[in-house]
């Protein structure tokens, strides 16, 4: 039966900013539900509780990375094997980034992520892995010195951008493309500035860049200058040069 006040109006209950009436009205209190351990446990999977988990992920990420210093996020396929030339190139990049006083941030998994972390670790730098909970568990690779595991992709992706001065992207699949296009969108819309996006592997990325130019630009879905958001190379010297140029622009603009 729907509860009513003596005045005949539907009873209502205030739970913080939420007002409950009619069928939504309940007679228990927040303290009661907190202290009464009996009852179902499915509350831990409800949307309000997820908000707290999301908040906690941001707090943990911000707290762990706040004093990281300059860093570069490196992306690429988890399926790249150690005998792949791109694996060795990513190891070399990790070492070079440490030599340029950057920390290295990856997704913490195998493949290119492991290679970049390995290079940073062996060079004595800061090797960071931002893992993600997946149905097919990958775990954090052995070369990560500072690891954070996330439940939510969007919280993790914020950390990749917020604490990095640029992206270096090796050949990869959907996850790599997701990070790549997120970064391109943020730079295109000026959400982040002086933020280089460097693609390693000209033969691998050529088809994508040609499609962007021949389809999206030709159909006026993006501007021709949007292609210039990308630096495409096979040479790590060019990668480091692009990062140094962006660093100089940040200093000139007073964004050290």
């Amino acid at each position: 039966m729907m509860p009513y006040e003596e005045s005949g109006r539907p009873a209502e209950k205030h739970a913080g900013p939420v007002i409950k009436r009619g069928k939504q009205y309940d007679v228990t209190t927040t303290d009661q539900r907190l202290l009464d351990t009996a009852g179902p446990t499915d509350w831990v999977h409800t949307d309000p509780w997820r908000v707290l988990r999301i908040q906690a992920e941001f707090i943990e990420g911000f707290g762990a990375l706040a004093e990281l210093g300059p860093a570069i996020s490196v992306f690429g396929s988890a399926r790249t094997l150690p005998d792949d030339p791109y694996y060795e190139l990513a190891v070399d990049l990790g070492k070079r980034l440490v030599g340029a006083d950057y920390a290295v941030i990856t997704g913490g998994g195998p493949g290119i992520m492991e290679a970049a972390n390995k290079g940073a670790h062996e060079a004595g730098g800061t090797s960071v892995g931002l893992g993600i909970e997946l149905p097919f568990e990958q775990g954090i690779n052995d070369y990560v010195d500072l690891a954070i595991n996330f439940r939510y992709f969007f919280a993790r992706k914020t950390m990749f951008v917020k604490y990095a001065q640029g992206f270096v992207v090796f050949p990869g699949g959907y996850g790599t493309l997701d990070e790549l296009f997120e970064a391109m969108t943020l730079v295109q819309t000026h959400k982040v500035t002086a933020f280089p996006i460097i693609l390693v592997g000209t033969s691998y990325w050529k088809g994508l860049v040609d499609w962007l130019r021949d389809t999206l630009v030709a159909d006026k879905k993006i501007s021709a200058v949007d292609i210039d958001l990308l630096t495409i190379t096979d040479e790590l010297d060019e990668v480091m040069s692009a990062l140094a140029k962006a660093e100089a622009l940040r200093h000139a603009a007073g964004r050290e």
Side-chain angles (χ1 to χ4, degrees):
M1 178 180 295
M2 189 178 300
Y4 287 88
E5 298 175 351
E6 291 184 5
S7 63
R9 295 179 56 189
E12 63 181 39
K13 179 179 179 180
H14 293 250
V18 179
I19 299 174
K20 297 181 178 181
R21 294 173 177 164
K23 293 180 179 179
Q24 297 298 316
Y25 182 94
D26 63 80
V27 297
T28 63
T29 66
T30 303
D31 283 342
Q32 179 185 341
R33 291 191 298 273
L34 172 65
L35 299 173
D36 185 358
T37 57
T41 60
D42 57 352
W43 61 273
V44 300
H45 304 296
T46 61
D47 286 340
W49 180 247
R50 287 191 182 100
V51 171
L52 296 179
R53 282 182 169 171
I54 292 166
Q55 182 184 50
E57 291 209 341
F58 279 108
I59 291 171
E60 290 291 343
F62 293 157
L65 301 176
E67 298 180 357
L68 181 63
I72 301 298
S73 291
V74 180
F75 300 98
S77 177
R79 304 182 186 189
T80 304
L81 299 176
D83 61 355
D84 190 301
Y86 284 119
Y87 186 100
E88 287 303 318
L89 204 60
V91 172
D92 191 7
L93 175 65
K95 294 178 180 179
R96 292 194 186 207
L97 290 173
V98 169
D101 295 324
Y102 288 111
V104 173
I105 304 174
T106 78
I112 291 296
M113 295 173 281
E114 176 185 282
N117 286 135
K118 179 180 180 180
H121 176 79
E122 291 182 346
T126 303
S127 177
V128 180
L130 307 181
I132 185 70
E133 182 181 73
L134 294 172
F136 39 95
E137 195 63 42
Q138 290 181 338
I140 297 293
N141 69 67
D142 293 337
Y143 301 102
V144 169
D145 304 311
L146 174 60
I148 309 171
N149 271 310
F150 292 86
R151 286 187 176 91
Y152 300 100
F153 270 112
F154 54 83
R156 178 183 185 237
K157 288 164 72 174
T158 297
M159 306 303 156
F160 280 130
V161 177
K162 178 172 175 57
Y163 293 102
Q165 276 64 54
F167 279 6
V168 179
V169 187
F170 283 79
Y174 281 160
T176 302
L177 292 173
D178 178 45
E179 298 293 352
L180 169 60
F181 278 98
E182 170 118 354
M184 291 171 64
T185 301
L186 291 172
V187 175
Q188 182 203 44
T189 56
H190 303 287
K191 297 294 186 181
V192 293
T193 56
F195 191 92
I197 305 170
I198 306 162
L199 307 183
V200 177
T202 54
S203 62
Y204 187 87
W205 296 110
K206 182 180 184 301
L208 174 63
V209 176
D210 287 347
W211 176 76
L212 293 174
R213 182 180 294 109
D214 298 341
T215 302
L216 272 66
V217 174
D219 205 31
K220 296 182 172 55
K221 297 297 187 294
I222 62 173
S223 301
V225 295
D226 293 333
I227 303 295
D228 297 334
L229 300 177
L230 301 171
T231 298
I232 308 155
T233 183
D234 293 310
E235 304 296 330
L236 294 187
D237 286 344
E238 290 187 37
V239 172
M240 301 308 297
S241 177
L243 294 175
K245 181 179 178 180
E247 189 70 24
L249 289 173
R250 280 193 295 273
H251 279 272
R255 292 191 296 269
E256 297 94 329

